[in-house]
Amino acid sequence: MMEYWKPHKFYPRDFASRKDEFMYRLHNGIHTTKGLQELLKAFPNHKYKNEIIEELRRRNANKV
């Protein structure tokens, strides 16, 4: 009966690191452009700031 109270994983962790997971989400469109802009406003010294800026440039280049 106690096994019901154990924490559950809602999805398997398929990534070797947090950066791998973030980069997967970044390049597969899971983060919206507006969301990335808000993220940079809220955290100007974000750990992956350069990757976010490159992705925003790539997305803007595709619109032109």
Side-chain angles (χ1 to χ4, degrees):
M1 190 140 182
M2 291 299 288
E3 66 261 358
Y4 294 114
W5 296 101
K6 291 181 181 176
H8 298 285
K9 292 184 179 178
F10 294 103
Y11 65 95
R13 186 160 182 172
D14 296 328
F15 303 100
S17 67
R18 286 237 186 233
K19 183 173 183 174
D20 291 343
E21 182 178 358
F22 183 79
M23 295 307 289
Y24 172 81
R25 293 172 158 271
L26 185 67
H27 294 303
N28 288 316
I30 296 170
H31 295 291
T32 62
T33 303
K34 179 70 174 171
L36 290 174
Q37 291 168 347
E38 292 296 320
L39 185 66
L40 280 179
K41 282 183 191 174
F43 304 102
N45 293 326
H46 192 276
K47 190 176 196 178
Y48 306 122
K49 176 182 177 181
N50 295 333
E51 289 85 353
I52 294 171
I53 291 171
E54 285 301 316
E55 180 65 18
L56 288 172
R57 285 185 186 144
R58 187 188 68 80
R59 290 182 184 187
N60 287 334
N62 289 339
K63 288 182 182 180
V64 175

